[in-house]
Amino acid sequence: ITSADELYHTVWNTVTGSTTVTAPITGNLLCVLQDVPSSKSVLDSQTIIAELVADEDSIYESKKFLLSDCEYAAYIDGVSKGTFASLEEK
């Protein structure tokens, strides 16, 4: 991994080799991209590399860890803005 601007928006350094990726929910792996389509010379954020059909129970179970828009906004209001925030944000 070379950079990430937030969770799930990650830029990968290479696409060679293999790695194990663990999904946050259970389900069945429907398909995996085997080859990059000829219309694409590189993978990008719009390229689907795997498709998982989630188990319904797993989705409901994971919801207890998710926040609504309002809950997320309240959460980030209480978190330090960090080194790279603009002066207006701090």
Side-chain angles (χ1 to χ4, degrees):
I1 298 176
T2 57
S3 65
D5 61 357
E6 61 183 69
L7 188 61
Y8 303 119
H9 292 160
T10 303
V11 177
W12 297 86
N13 189 27
T14 65
V15 293
T16 60
S18 64
T19 189
T20 300
V21 178
T22 305
I25 56 177
T26 61
N28 294 309
L29 189 59
L30 186 61
C31 64
V32 177
L33 176 68
Q34 297 297 317
D35 297 305
V36 178
S38 59
S39 61
K40 288 184 171 272
S41 59
V42 296
L43 298 177
D44 59 24
S45 62
Q46 302 303 309
T47 304
I48 298 171
I49 58 173
E51 188 173 342
L52 177 77
V53 178
D55 295 331
E56 189 173 352
D57 290 343
S58 179
I59 293 171
Y60 288 114
E61 181 67 20
S62 69
K63 286 180 73 171
K64 66 183 176 185
F65 301 107
L66 301 177
L67 302 175
S68 68
D69 290 344
C70 293
E71 290 168 327
Y72 180 72
Y75 170 76
I76 61 171
D77 282 344
V79 175
S80 170
K81 299 302 180 202
T83 302
F84 300 104
S86 67
L87 292 175
E88 295 83 32
E89 292 179 306
K90 288 185 177 186

